[in-house]
Amino acid sequence: MSLQGKARLGVLGSGKGSNFVAIAEACRRGLLDAEVAVVLSDVPEAGILERAAERGIPARYLEPGRFRTRLDEEAEQRYVAALQEAGVDWVVLAGFMRILKGTFLRAFPLQVVNIHPSLLPSFPGLEAWKQALDYGVKVTGVTVHLVDQGIDTGPIVLQEPVRVHEDDTPASLHARIQEVEHRIYPEALQLLVHGRIRVEGRRTRRVD
Ligand code: GAR
């Protein structure tokens, strides 16, 4: 925590950064007692880096290393060093499209949070809204969870359903999912930074 008692967040993203914007806005409006200390991306031209720079938040591209779907060992060390230098209390994945493994997760035990565009454990992995449409489910949703060694498997903090419409396209469904994401990600982070989520094995419990 910083001197003002605000949690320091390190946000990682690979895409346009709409969840980052929702989180930064919630901080600015006093709805989330935190500040974004740094934004890191594995994609040099990612919109999230521009959105952060516009807000005067330190933001940079960090090389992800030689793999396509995860950070390699040295890259994990680079990311951890940058986050520790920025003094972050929580690592917030906001559309970060790479798997994090041992070195990274050991540095931030139960302090890495992710948002996923489905009701896990349904449709882990990529383009979960498209998987939901292709499967034909009538309800999908959004999950905020803590990150463990698996892919989209960690303890669930919050979930909210989103109805699938008969005329939905991947874009229209993802847009409605994102509206929910932008609301519940700051809510989940507010609970976490205030220590109001207790983790008991796979399950989490809200404490007052
Ligand atoms: C969000 O819909 C997020 O749930 C998803 O990427 C999008 C990022 O959008 N994440 C995953 O699919 C992770 N497996 P944004 O860049 O506008 O925040």
Side-chain angles (χ1 to χ4, degrees), residues 12-23 47-48 93-98 114-118 123-129 141-143 145 151-152 174 177-178 181-182 185:
L12 270 54
S14 311
K16 65 182 196 288
S18 69
N19 277 287
F20 156 72
V21 169
I23 290 163
I48 192 170
L93 307 184
F96 190 64
M97 293 307 181
R98 285 175 192 266
N114 184 41
I115 190 151
H116 185 78
S118 74
F123 313 125
L126 297 177
E127 296 189 320
W129 60 90
V142 176
T143 302
H145 67 96
I151 298 177
D152 301 325
H174 190 210
I177 285 173
Q178 288 227 285
E181 291 185 335
H182 300 160
Y185 212 179

Side-chain angles (χ1 to χ4, degrees), residues 37-101:
V38 69
V39 172
L40 303 175
S41 181
D42 59 327
V43 177
E45 66 278 9
I48 192 170
L49 292 175
E50 282 173 48
R51 300 288 83 74
E54 285 163 8
R55 286 172 170 72
I57 294 171
R60 60 189 167 117
Y61 161 73
L62 273 188
E63 268 180 48
R66 63 190 188 281
F67 302 123
R68 201 171 48 83
T69 56
R70 64 182 176 94
L71 298 179
D72 70 19
E73 177 70 24
E74 283 139 35
E76 285 206 335
Q77 283 166 9
R78 275 196 291 280
Y79 276 73
V80 167
L83 292 162
Q84 286 175 340
E85 259 165 46
V88 312
D89 303 299
W90 292 91
V91 179
V92 177
L93 307 184
F96 190 64
M97 293 307 181
R98 285 175 192 266
I99 299 157
L100 300 170
K101 287 298 199 187

